[in-house]
């Protein structure tokens, strides 16, 4: 993001909205942070059924806004790998709140009850552990 | 939201995304919670320039999903008033995280430095006070 970029308003909540683009971005970031996904193919396989053009556009936008970085896969140099930057990892608390609210008001699936409970009772510890795990994964890849 | 509603996936983060609709919804909820706005005209005036059709659609969706409620204005019975429900107020921590991240990575406007600092150092107190103020406002209207 260059300094000449003009946001629609000075409100930081709006600036978050603009930097993220739309809610598909949050699902891509969720896939990276919580499910250790790194490739276009892996993001595409997620059960929400993101379309190829939306996925490609969001990855470009997230990269342009410094939230993710694109690398060449060392094991297969024809493949790209996407990793969250520290700025992107800063969205972890936002994802945590989305998970908690969605669990409370959505269909409360059994497989998420444990993480929702842990997040509610010990938010900071859960977030620290998720971030530490991600940074280790990133170090092993880059 | 009826029980037969099918989300695209069981992930609570995705369910939050689906219940909110898109990021314009977060700006409407911000206007209600932080700026005490209650009417279509007030939401429309916000500096991000939401279009009339997006605003109307989002209000309907937020109402259908139990996040806001529509009332008749007691002072002018031709006017509608929109208020956040308790479910909608549950989004306050998510808005707080959006504000903090946007302040950190956006253009850091001076007028938001005080609220960002307070939220960072005493998140729970700020949120409690915002919610208490909103509930009082709601009681005085309904």
């Amino acid at each position: 993001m260059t300094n000449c970029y003009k946001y629609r308003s000075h409100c930081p909540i709006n600036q978050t909205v603009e930097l993220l683009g739309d809610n598909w971005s949050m699902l891509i970031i969720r896939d990276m942070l919580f499910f250790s996904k790194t490739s276009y193919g892996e993001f595409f396989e997620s059960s929400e059924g993101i379309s190829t053009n939306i996925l490609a556009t969001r990855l470009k936008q997230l990269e342009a806004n410094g939230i993710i970085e694109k690398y060449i896969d060392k094991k297969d140099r024809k493949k790209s790998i996407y990793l969250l930057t520290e700025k992107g990892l800063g969205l972890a608390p936002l994802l945590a709140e989305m998970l908690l609210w969605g669990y409370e008001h959505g269909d409360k699936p059994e497989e998420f009850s444990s993480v929702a409970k842990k997040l509610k009772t010990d938010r900071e510890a859960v977030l620290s552990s998720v971030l530490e795990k991600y940074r280790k994964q990133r170090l092993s890849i880059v």
Side-chain angles (χ1 to χ4, degrees), chain A:
Chain A
M1 188 62 48
T2 60
N3 287 333
C4 63
Y5 185 83
K6 289 275 189 296
Y7 295 99
R8 284 187 301 239
S9 82
H10 281 310
C11 169
I13 294 175
N14 170 63
Q15 297 188 1
T16 295
V17 163
E18 289 195 51
L19 287 169
L20 290 175
D22 71 13
N23 279 324
W24 285 109
S25 304
M26 290 313 287
L27 298 182
I28 299 170
I29 297 166
R30 169 205 65 183
D31 282 350
M32 299 175 94
L33 188 60
F34 293 127
F35 302 113
S36 306
K37 295 188 178 185
T38 56
S39 71
Y40 183 96
E42 285 173 327
F43 305 136
F44 185 66
E45 277 166 10
S46 290
S47 41
E48 288 86 12
I50 191 168
S51 70
T52 50
N53 65 329
I54 290 183
L55 176 54
T57 316
R58 290 302 160 269
L59 287 172
K60 269 186 201 149
Q61 183 176 18
L62 290 171
E63 197 189 351
N65 289 346
I67 294 165
I68 64 174
E69 273 179 318
K70 191 176 174 178
Y71 298 90
I72 290 166
D73 188 344
K74 283 178 194 164
K75 294 174 210 152
D76 176 358
R77 298 189 63 82
K78 277 180 255 166
K79 253 182 78 179
S80 293
I81 269 183
Y82 298 91
L83 291 169
L84 289 163
T85 59
E86 282 303 308
K87 181 174 172 179
L89 288 181
L91 291 161
L94 211 163
L95 278 169
E97 296 303 340
M98 290 178 82
L99 194 155
L100 281 172
W101 191 86
Y103 184 77
E104 184 73 21
H105 301 287
D107 62 8
K108 280 201 165 56
E110 184 51 36
E111 67 258 45
F112 287 94
S113 70
S114 160
V115 66
K117 201 174 167 185
K118 272 189 214 159
L119 260 179
K120 212 165 178 176
T121 52
D122 205 356
R123 191 173 172 276
E124 294 314 313
V126 175
L127 287 176
S128 294
S129 139
V130 166
L131 293 177
E132 196 191 347
K133 194 181 147 208
Y134 191 85
R135 289 189 183 108
K136 270 188 194 161
Q137 179 204 1
R138 193 170 57 185
L139 272 177
S140 74
I141 292 174
V142 179

